[in-house]
Amino acid sequence: MRLPPGPGPGPAPSSFWDPDPSLPIRPPVTDAAVREAERVLGVTLPEALLELLRVRDGGVVSARHNAFPTSAPTSWSADHVPLDHLMGAGPDPDRTTLLDTPYLVEEWGLPSPVVLLDGDGHCWIALDHRLCGPHGEPSVTWLDAELGTELPLAPDFRTFLHGLLPENAFPDES
């Protein structure tokens, strides 16, 4: 199987989000919400993530940046993982946010400390603080709760962003 071309230039914070005006648009995250999220999570969030959340505090990712190539097959696909939605850092009673990470980690038996960015319960994309500590630059990891497997994706969030591609860049697996 042939993987798509290498990492792209990385999305600008304003072009990372889906531009569809019919989708709910969250306001930018506030400094107070970031401080509270970091307190609740017990970690420092990466600046590259905060740059995105300062444009929109979570939401649907643009189709130009909604998949990340993998070095090995996962339960999702032979060659990539999806990034459909990026959780915000501020509180939101209507959707899952980074603040839900402690509950979700316990509920799904995930390793800790991680910060969940996107997922459906069975599989997650997460910031992984296990090696760097709570205030270091976390790597990005794919976690499969059902299979109990992990797959490192990128050494840091900025590298992860630069590796995002459109899902339609991957061969059809049907």
Side-chain angles (χ1 to χ4, degrees):
M1 172 171 297
R2 193 168 160 257
L3 289 177
S14 60
S15 70
F16 177 79
W17 304 106
D18 191 310
D20 185 343
S22 69
L23 294 171
I25 296 176
R26 302 245 324 137
V29 71
T30 64
D31 290 342
V34 169
R35 285 191 302 274
E36 178 62 8
E38 290 179 334
R39 185 193 67 73
V40 167
L41 299 168
V43 300
T44 301
L45 296 172
E47 186 57 35
L49 173 61
L50 296 177
E51 289 170 6
L52 294 173
L53 299 181
R54 287 180 183 124
V55 171
R56 186 180 298 179
D57 189 24
V60 178
V61 174
S62 165
R64 294 182 296 172
H65 310 294
N66 65 355
F68 191 86
T70 59
S71 59
T74 68
S75 60
W76 176 263
S77 167
D79 57 5
H80 70 283
V81 294
L83 180 72
D84 300 320
H85 180 273
L86 182 67
M87 293 185 213
D92 186 333
D94 298 324
R95 64 175 55 156
T96 305
T97 71
L98 301 180
L99 298 170
D100 296 306
T101 292
Y103 165 77
L104 293 168
V105 163
E106 184 175 335
E107 177 74 17
W108 289 95
L110 300 171
S112 188
V114 298
V115 176
L116 303 176
L117 301 174
D118 184 25
D120 64 1
H122 308 283
C123 300
W124 300 93
I125 294 176
L127 297 173
D128 190 344
H129 284 268
R130 290 176 289 174
L131 293 178
C132 69
H135 304 296
E137 187 70 29
S139 61
V140 180
T141 301
W142 172 260
L143 303 170
D144 188 316
E146 283 191 352
L147 298 178
T149 59
E150 301 179 25
L151 181 63
L153 299 176
D156 56 68
F157 190 72
R158 191 168 306 278
T159 301
F160 176 76
L161 288 177
H162 285 273
L164 289 170
L165 297 168
E167 189 166 30
N168 66 11
F170 296 88
D172 185 3
E173 296 179 16
S174 56

